[in-house]
Amino acid sequence: SRMIRPLLLKGHERPISDLKYNADGDIIFIASKDQSISAWWTDNGERIGTYDDHTGSLWAIDISQDSKRMISASADFNVFLWDVESGKRLYTFEHDNSVRIVSFAQGDKKFLTVTDKIMGNKAYLHVYTLTDDIHDQDSKKRAILEIELETKVLGAVWGDRNETIITVNSDGTIRQYDATNRKELAVIQAHKKEVSSILLNKDRTTFITSSIDGTAKLYATSTLEELCKYETGRPLNAAAISPVMDHVIVGGGERAADVTLSAMTSEQFKVQFYHSIFAEELGTIAGHFGPVHVLAFSPDGRSFASGSEDGFVRLHYFPDNYFSRSDEVSRWEVDEVPETETETETETKE
């Protein structure tokens, strides 16, 4: 069957800011501007629990490779380190400003944070070391690297062997930094407008960017060479690369602040599929009622998730024909009525 039946995860009251699958793909973690993080089983959409200690909007989360630890970045000026299973907050890394980005390094022994350039404060990129025993973390509570940033950073990833850090920025640039000596190694004018996101592929050899200028681009991680460009004609907030198919997905839509300046339709909020090599649009999947903010493929590539301004996460499982290539994406149908909704009330993790 070509029919796709999405799971609609309804656990947040405000826009979705980030989402991450764990390495096994059986749990998805969702961060929202409502100050909470939720965890869900991906096979049935049942909510496992929530993480509620933050007092400001959540901007970003990341999960360790063994699924035991999670880090979260918030507008409350803090990064929290969590024990995933118990929901207990293990440690607090205090910052001087709202924290926009967090990302574990390969091996999960270090992580980076990026603060916002607001309220007259400068923006910084920090790198912290994590100890195996949380009781030793006080000895490593200070950042081992601090880089003052020239522009607002909207996304950051670790490069090859954790030797570099790559950021995407409000001035349309991609910047590469040496992760040991703070030196800026490269600056590329990648987009005409703000670069809204960056996401690595599964083996970290390429990454994709999205931009408000209506394009997404594929780059080589090691050389920063542009490999492909995807033209959409609408502002983009997110993009992701399939781990098993030659496909990328992009999403976005007009921002709420710009609603009065243009005609807003649900068409803007569709997730578009493109061939990653030939840049041909393959099809679209609709469903959200606000701009798409974040996209992710499951580790096995059998599903993808989208988080939106509307406060919902839609989890789509692909039909078998998708993998046999017997159908083009444009021939898919999304079973919208009835839709599988999950809004399981569970006890908050203590």
Side-chain angles (χ1 to χ4, degrees):
S1 171
R2 302 189 195 102
M3 200 69 73
I4 301 174
R5 298 180 183 273
L7 293 174
L8 185 61
L9 308 184
K10 301 172 64 175
H12 294 279
E13 299 174 355
R14 294 195 63 203
I16 305 303
S17 51
D18 200 8
L19 59 84
K20 291 287 194 309
Y21 287 89
N22 69 335
D24 293 332
D26 60 339
I27 302 174
I28 190 169
F29 297 83
I30 301 169
S32 169
K33 292 183 181 179
D34 66 6
Q35 305 181 10
S36 71
I37 304 163
S38 58
W40 309 71
W41 295 116
T42 56
D43 59 347
N44 59 12
E46 180 182 349
R47 191 166 70 181
I48 302 168
T50 58
Y51 306 79
D52 296 316
D53 284 3
H54 279 292
T55 57
S57 295
L58 266 296
W59 287 119
I61 53 175
D62 202 9
I63 315 301
S64 65
Q65 192 68 20
D66 62 8
S67 301
K68 292 183 178 180
R69 289 179 167 187
M70 174 173 65
I71 46 176
S72 57
S74 171
D76 63 13
F77 295 19
N78 291 316
V79 168
F80 290 165
L81 175 68
W82 304 84
D83 178 75
V84 168
E85 185 175 4
S86 69
K88 180 182 178 181
R89 173 159 51 106
L90 300 175
Y91 203 81
T92 300
F93 296 87
E94 297 179 354
H95 290 66
D96 294 329
N97 209 343
S98 175
V99 190
R100 174 72 56 168
I101 299 158
V102 287
S103 178
F104 279 114
Q106 296 174 69
D108 301 326
K109 300 295 186 184
K110 297 186 293 185
F111 69 92
L112 66 81
T113 71
V114 179
T115 56
D116 268 339
K117 191 176 184 178
I118 55 173
M119 297 169 56
N121 291 322
K122 297 177 180 178
Y124 287 95
L125 187 157
H126 293 103
V127 174
Y128 293 87
T129 299
L130 286 171
T131 58
D132 292 330
D133 187 339
I134 195 62
H135 297 100
D136 299 330
Q137 192 62 55
D138 276 343
S139 66
K140 301 288 186 181
K141 66 180 179 180
R142 295 188 181 277
I144 61 171
L145 181 75
E146 180 179 274
I147 301 174
E148 184 178 337
L149 302 167
E150 297 180 14
T151 183
K152 184 175 182 177
V153 174
L154 295 162
V157 296
W158 291 87
D160 293 338
R161 299 179 297 278
N162 297 334
E163 293 174 357
T164 61
I165 295 169
I166 302 167
T167 67
V168 294
N169 310 286
S170 60
D171 61 0
T173 61
I174 296 172
R175 296 171 186 258
Q176 184 187 58
Y177 298 91
D178 188 302
T180 57
N181 65 15
R182 301 192 295 272
K183 183 180 179 182
E184 187 176 80
L185 302 175
V187 181
I188 297 172
Q189 191 63 47
H191 291 274
K192 296 177 181 178
K193 295 182 180 179
E194 174 181 296
V195 190
S196 48
S197 74
I198 180 172
L199 200 62
L200 291 159
N201 71 340
K202 189 172 185 177
D203 63 11
R204 309 177 76 90
T205 56
T206 62
F207 64 84
I208 192 168
T209 62
S210 64
S211 173
I212 304 305
D213 68 10
T215 66
K217 294 184 178 182
L218 189 69
Y219 288 90
T221 306
S222 59
T223 63
L224 303 187
E225 176 189 0
E226 182 182 323
L227 304 175
C228 202
K229 180 180 180 180
Y230 315 98
E231 301 263 8
T232 71
R234 65 193 176 107
L236 294 180
N237 301 323
I241 305 169
S242 170
V244 295
M245 303 288 282
D246 293 328
H247 294 168
V248 302
I249 52 176
V250 300
E254 206 73 30
R255 295 179 175 183
D258 301 326
V259 170
T260 57
L261 304 179
S262 65
M264 179 173 284
T265 68
S266 60
E267 292 291 310
Q268 293 192 61
F269 310 138
K270 287 184 175 181
V271 175
Q272 293 172 274
F273 282 70
Y274 286 84
H275 195 285
S276 59
I277 300 169
F278 304 118
E280 173 191 2
E281 184 178 357
L282 302 173
T284 62
I285 293 180
H288 284 294
F289 296 98
V292 174
H293 291 318
V294 58
L295 293 167
F297 279 97
S298 62
D300 63 5
R302 300 195 68 84
S303 68
F304 80 92
S306 56
S308 168
E309 181 77 19
D310 60 20
F312 299 149
V313 167
R314 295 172 66 88
L315 183 58
H316 295 84
Y317 278 89
F318 296 116
D320 290 339
N321 290 338
Y322 171 75
F323 303 100
S324 66
R325 298 176 184 261
S326 60
D327 269 347
E328 288 297 320
V329 181
S330 56
R331 295 177 61 191
W332 297 348
E333 299 173 33
V334 179
D335 184 15
E336 295 294 349
V337 183
E339 187 174 57
T340 305
E341 296 188 3
T342 62
E343 195 174 13
T344 307
E345 290 300 326
T346 60
E347 291 185 10
T348 299
K349 289 185 175 182
E350 296 297 336

